[in-house]
Each structure stands twice: as structure tokens, then as C-alpha cells.
Amino acid sequence: MRSEDHFLVSNGIHDVPVVDHLVFYLYDLLGLKPVRHTTAYSMTHDIDMIRKFPSFYKFIRAIGNVAFIKIRK
């Protein structure tokens, strides 16, 4: 896959971590007038979809795995 076809590159957000965008817009919604800063970080992989748990079932399953590990120790 060419780098231009990646989601972050094609949308021009490959230079700034996604968290920076989220915090900037949160501050903007709160009326705090944030200032945009550039970052020295560079992305090393492509993120096509930001989703930790795609369904409620997988969320409950992950919590169950953590609880099971804690009980075994």
C-alpha cells in the first residue's frame, strides 16, 4: 500500500497524534481558546479505525479476562 493511501496521510493528520485533535476540539467546545502546537512525534503505523472494544460483548469479555487473571494470582 502506498503511503498516500493511508487514512492519516490522505486526511493530512499524520503529523499530529489523534489525541491532540481530540483535546484541541474539547477545549474549543468549552470555550478555552486553545493554541495549536506542532509536535516532534511521527506516526509509525496507520490507524484506520479508533475503537478499543468493537462491541459490548468484547468489552465484558476483556474485563472478565482481567478479573480472572487477578483471581489466579
Side-chain angles (χ1 to χ4, degrees), residues 2-73:
R2 299 178 336 189
S3 65
E4 295 84 23
D5 295 335
H6 289 258
F7 177 80
L8 294 176
V9 176
S10 65
N11 289 296
I13 56 175
H14 61 284
D15 291 333
V16 181
V18 176
V19 171
D20 289 355
H21 288 289
L22 296 175
V23 171
F24 178 84
Y25 290 117
L26 174 66
Y27 279 19
D28 191 39
L29 287 172
L30 294 174
L32 297 176
K33 305 296 180 205
V35 178
R36 282 203 185 263
H37 295 284
T38 57
T39 182
Y41 296 106
S42 62
M43 298 301 287
T44 58
H45 60 281
D46 183 31
I47 302 172
D48 289 324
M49 189 173 298
I50 302 172
R51 205 171 7 168
K52 177 73 176 171
F53 302 106
S55 69
F56 184 70
Y57 166 74
K58 290 190 178 183
F59 171 72
I60 295 297
R61 191 171 134 199
I63 289 176
N65 285 337
V66 171
F68 181 71
I69 291 170
K70 292 285 185 182
I71 292 171
R72 278 190 8 193
K73 288 183 178 182

